[in-house]
Amino acid sequence: MGRLRTAWVARESLRELNFFLRQRAWHFTAMGNYAIAADYIIRLLNRRPRDPVGLLLGEVAAKFSQQDVFVAKCREAQQRLCVQRGVTDALELVAEEAEREKLRALLAKAREAPEVVGAAEEQIVVLETEPFAETQGAVRIMAQRAGGLPLVELQQPKQSVYGRGIYALTRISSGTTVMGDQPFFVQRMRGDVCAHCLVTLGRSGGATRGVPCAHCDRETYCSVACRDAAWREYHICACSSRNEMYAAWEDAMRERLLSDDMEESRAALACLAVAKLCALSTVQQVHPLALPRLRSLRGRADYDAATALTEVGALAVALATALRQTHLYMEEVLSLFAIVQTNEFVSPGGTALYHGYSLLNHSCEPNCALVGSDAANRRLVTLRDVKEGEQLLINYNANLTTRASYADRRALCQQRHFECFCLKCVRRE
């Protein structure tokens, strides 16, 4: 009986996974995220190569994501399946009529669509899953002052172009520290900062002084507490002493991080950050997008559909293999990229995500600024008097050393997928 029970559970698990893959393929095809849909379809067809729905959806997704080889393979497989089943059209093999009609419409659209020359841009949007009241309570704790009530609060007014944001509960004088926050996630860029908190490490005799990992010499920390916390939270599954495959991938990515090409270096930093988030989720045994605090963040990112499968899809497979995460898909990796690129605070030492500061909105004429040399010691300080009910705004591009024109500022804002409505931008100054 035990063996029968095990076989039944295994069969049901496979059936559920097939249903999940097909459902996600349908969802992203309908949403127009054809590259993500193609990733799920490929995984489905690897398991069920004669699935008619998978083959038909694969043709649609491959056509719109400019995967010509995949289109040809899907059509060839459809023809073989039709010969084997004695039908003239693979649509006849789709059992449900409603599903068949949807596929017929999608196929007609795909086959009539002209050939696209150049990149086909798609966009992924990630919404927060943490309840608003929970996020609001966390911000209230960050804004708590010694012997006094918080000066600010997270609000979500209906009549606001910004949506949710942090607002003043009372009049706040210039130069007042209104909030303190610690990064809940960091990814270092240089070797002279702590790998867990980005605090600058001391130097002795020209060499960086810090606390190395007890199992490898790849990571250095500012204290034993940071080293132990890093080991518990993520490094236990990414340490080279335990995971040579992940270490080899990380070495290759760190070489790209040192590139003179700024764009390539930033891309490598984002890849390392996403990989670290996946390691965190592996240790905590949760879905990457369900990580605490990460759930409160939103994200939006554009990607090239034609290359997403080869680059992001390959990254997803590499991380899934290295971290032994069987169900890590391109959707999760793209979503993590979107969250990181939308919410990151980049410094010379690396990049950081904050639970509270990431909720601050942007203005080219801000009334607040983050003050502090290290990512772990930044405080939110008012630059001028702030009225009661006024939103606290910071300049996302405050680290620019040169005065940016309106066109440059607008381009920088568009990279994070928002429009700035400050008076300076409204006047196009």
Side-chain angles (χ1 to χ4, degrees):
M1 288 297 292
R3 290 184 179 179
L4 288 174
R5 173 68 181 174
T6 302
W8 180 84
V9 170
R11 186 174 67 252
E12 288 301 308
S13 297
L14 292 174
R15 186 178 298 172
E16 287 181 7
L17 179 56
N18 291 336
F19 176 80
F20 167 77
L21 293 173
R22 183 185 286 189
Q23 186 270 337
R24 298 309 283 169
W26 266 112
H27 171 75
F28 283 106
T29 301
M31 293 288 291
N33 293 105
Y34 298 109
I36 300 178
D39 178 59
Y40 282 112
I41 293 164
I42 289 170
R43 293 172 187 262
L44 175 63
L45 292 176
N46 283 337
R47 301 169 58 80
R48 301 187 65 187
R50 297 179 181 179
D51 187 309
V53 174
L55 292 171
L56 293 166
L57 275 178
E59 180 184 343
V60 174
K63 175 64 183 292
F64 287 114
S65 59
Q66 302 179 25
Q67 304 292 327
D68 296 336
V69 175
F70 189 23
V71 171
K73 287 184 176 180
C74 286
R75 288 176 177 171
E76 289 174 10
Q78 289 174 38
Q79 292 172 1
R80 288 196 301 270
L81 191 60
C82 288
V83 171
Q84 292 171 2
R85 302 286 181 86
V87 296
T88 57
D89 191 339
L91 281 168
E92 299 176 39
L93 301 174
V94 179
E96 296 184 15
E97 184 177 352
E99 199 172 50
R100 191 186 312 128
E101 292 307 314
K102 288 181 183 178
L103 281 168
R104 194 187 305 278
L106 287 170
L107 285 166
K109 179 182 176 182
R111 290 169 181 173
E112 293 171 4
E115 293 295 330
V116 179
V117 179
E121 288 287 330
E122 294 180 4
Q123 187 177 96
I124 187 167
V125 178
V126 185
L127 299 178
E128 74 277 8
T129 56
E130 184 176 80
F132 180 78
E134 189 175 328
T135 311
Q136 190 178 47
V139 171
R140 193 176 293 119
I141 292 172
M142 295 175 210
Q144 193 74 43
R145 298 174 302 140
L149 295 174
L151 298 175
V152 297
E153 184 178 62
L154 178 67
Q155 297 178 7
Q156 196 165 10
K158 294 181 180 179
Q159 304 298 326
S160 173
V161 294
Y162 291 101
R164 65 177 183 174
I166 296 177
Y167 290 79
L169 294 175
T170 184
R171 182 182 177 279
I172 306 174
S173 301
S174 176
T176 302
T177 298
V178 295
M179 190 172 164
D181 193 8
Q182 296 282 327
F184 69 86
F185 172 83
V186 302
Q187 175 58 53
R188 71 173 177 176
M189 185 183 295
R190 304 193 320 246
D192 61 346
V193 296
C194 176
H196 188 64
C197 68
L198 294 188
V199 167
T200 303
L201 301 175
R203 298 186 69 84
S204 177
T208 301
R209 184 179 60 200
V211 180
C213 171
H215 306 274
C216 70
D217 58 354
R218 300 165 63 87
E219 300 288 6
T220 309
Y221 306 93
C222 63
S223 64
V224 173
C226 269
R227 182 195 67 185
D228 293 345
W231 181 260
R232 288 193 309 270
E233 293 174 15
Y234 56 88
H235 194 55
I236 188 172
C237 75
C239 181
S240 60
S241 65
R242 292 183 170 224
N243 195 335
E244 294 181 0
M245 185 181 297
Y246 183 90
W249 174 86
E250 191 177 44
D251 284 341
M253 202 56 60
R254 287 192 182 279
E255 287 184 12
R256 292 180 58 189
L257 188 64
L258 300 175
S259 170
D260 294 332
D261 185 341
M262 181 63 70
E263 188 173 335
E264 183 177 359
S265 179
R266 286 293 300 273
L269 181 64
C271 287
L272 287 168
V274 167
K276 193 172 181 179
L277 287 168
C278 291
L280 274 165
S281 69
T282 300
V283 174
Q284 298 183 29
Q285 296 185 348
V286 297
H287 189 279
L289 298 177
L291 284 166
R293 300 180 183 174
L294 196 72
R295 298 189 304 131
S296 67
L297 304 183
R298 301 170 180 172
R300 190 184 296 263
D302 295 323
Y303 59 93
D304 177 9
T307 58
L309 273 173
T310 54
E311 295 182 3
V312 183
L315 176 61
V317 172
L319 291 177
T321 305
L323 296 172
R324 299 176 180 85
Q325 277 210 33
T326 310
H327 305 311
L328 182 63
Y329 302 108
M330 193 172 83
E331 177 193 355
E332 282 82 12
V333 173
L334 273 174
S335 298
L336 291 173
F337 271 119
I339 289 175
V340 169
Q341 293 173 357
T342 303
N343 299 281
E344 66 181 344
F345 287 80
V346 180
S347 65
T351 187
L353 295 178
Y354 294 86
H355 196 192
Y357 293 160
S358 294
L359 301 171
L360 290 162
N361 288 315
H362 165 87
S363 173
C364 299
E365 294 183 319
N367 53 19
C368 292
L370 294 177
V371 178
S373 56
D374 291 322
N377 300 315
R378 287 179 176 173
R379 298 171 292 113
L380 183 65
V381 179
T382 54
L383 298 175
R384 58 171 175 79
D385 291 349
V386 178
K387 301 176 184 177
E388 180 181 351
E390 184 179 352
Q391 184 175 185
L392 274 64
L393 302 167
I394 62 172
N395 186 353
Y396 290 172
N397 308 312
N399 58 340
L400 292 178
T401 55
T402 57
R403 182 179 176 85
S405 65
Y406 166 73
D408 292 336
R409 296 199 314 273
R410 189 167 186 269
L412 288 168
C413 291
Q414 286 177 340
Q415 288 179 7
R416 297 201 182 204
H417 301 91
F418 71 89
E419 289 283 342
C420 181
F421 296 99
C422 71
L423 291 176
K424 195 173 182 180
C425 286
V426 170
R427 294 192 296 260
R428 300 196 173 190
E429 295 178 353

